[in-house]
Amino acid sequence: MTSNKSILPRLPQFSGTLFEAKQKKGVSFETIAKELGRDEVAVAAIFYGQCSASKEDIEKLSSILGIEHANLEPQLLDYPNRGHVMDMPPKEPLMYRLYEIVQNYGYAYKSVINEKFGDGIMSAIAFNTHVDKEQDKQGNDWVVITLKGKWLPYTRF
């Protein structure tokens, strides 16, 4: 099950089914992602209803998690209703830290990006992300989050 059961009422109906099956099978998002040929963040986003799943994804998820394909497909083929899962600012500490990073460094990111690319925005549609784990020489674990979005320059009109 999702680590935060209080958000289940805000998630699509299929989310509970996916999380329960994932827990029963004892598989990680990384394991599922390798089978689907997608990034683990994208797979987790499917579970939370924040990312689209293809018919092939649904077939593989059904097989990996032992969920009846006929029950899963109609729900997962619907368009995601993104952005409604959490309150702003977030209350969950890790998500708050990500929010805090944007609060503290958002204008710095914007300034540097504008200097490099000009006036525009980074797409969150033509986009991918990845999470890595690194260890320093002292044995401390570090989180590495990569955000990669297509640059969309503003047009003159």
Side-chain angles (χ1 to χ4, degrees), residues 69 87 113 138 142:
H69 182 267
D87 297 323
I113 290 169
Q138 292 77 35
W142 290 78

Side-chain angles (χ1 to χ4, degrees), residues 9-152:
R10 295 188 216 167
L11 299 178
Q13 190 173 9
F14 64 78
S15 293
T17 303
L18 290 173
F19 280 113
E20 187 176 309
K22 178 183 173 289
Q23 185 178 21
K24 282 182 184 174
K25 293 286 184 176
V27 293
S28 66
F29 286 122
E30 181 181 22
T31 300
I32 297 168
K34 286 178 182 173
E35 292 291 323
L36 268 61
R38 297 190 71 171
D39 190 88
E40 61 194 310
V41 177
V43 173
I46 290 171
F47 276 57
Y48 283 98
Q50 301 297 297
C51 185
S52 298
S54 69
K55 286 187 177 201
E56 184 182 344
D57 291 336
I58 297 166
E59 287 175 23
K60 290 179 179 179
L61 278 171
S62 296
S63 175
I64 296 163
L65 299 174
I67 300 171
E68 185 65 39
H69 182 267
N71 295 335
L72 200 55
E73 186 175 47
Q75 296 178 65
L76 282 176
L77 282 180
D78 201 5
Y79 295 107
N81 188 12
R82 295 177 177 94
H84 70 283
V85 174
M86 76 175 154
D87 297 323
M88 292 302 282
K91 293 174 183 65
E92 200 285 324
L94 189 131
M95 287 192 274
Y96 183 81
R97 288 294 174 249
L98 294 171
Y99 172 78
E100 186 178 45
I101 290 166
V102 174
Q103 275 188 310
N104 292 334
Y105 299 103
Y107 279 104
Y109 285 139
K110 180 186 179 340
S111 293
V112 171
I113 290 169
N114 287 153
E115 283 182 1
K116 290 179 185 263
F117 293 92
D119 189 20
I121 60 171
M122 181 180 81
S123 176
I125 296 170
F127 175 85
N128 64 58
T129 184
H130 186 74
V131 176
D132 281 310
K133 180 179 177 180
E134 288 183 0
Q135 200 169 65
D136 64 19
K137 293 176 184 175
Q138 292 77 35
N140 298 306
D141 291 334
W142 290 78
V143 177
V144 179
I145 300 173
T146 303
L147 306 173
K148 182 179 177 182
K150 180 180 179 181
W151 182 250
L152 303 172

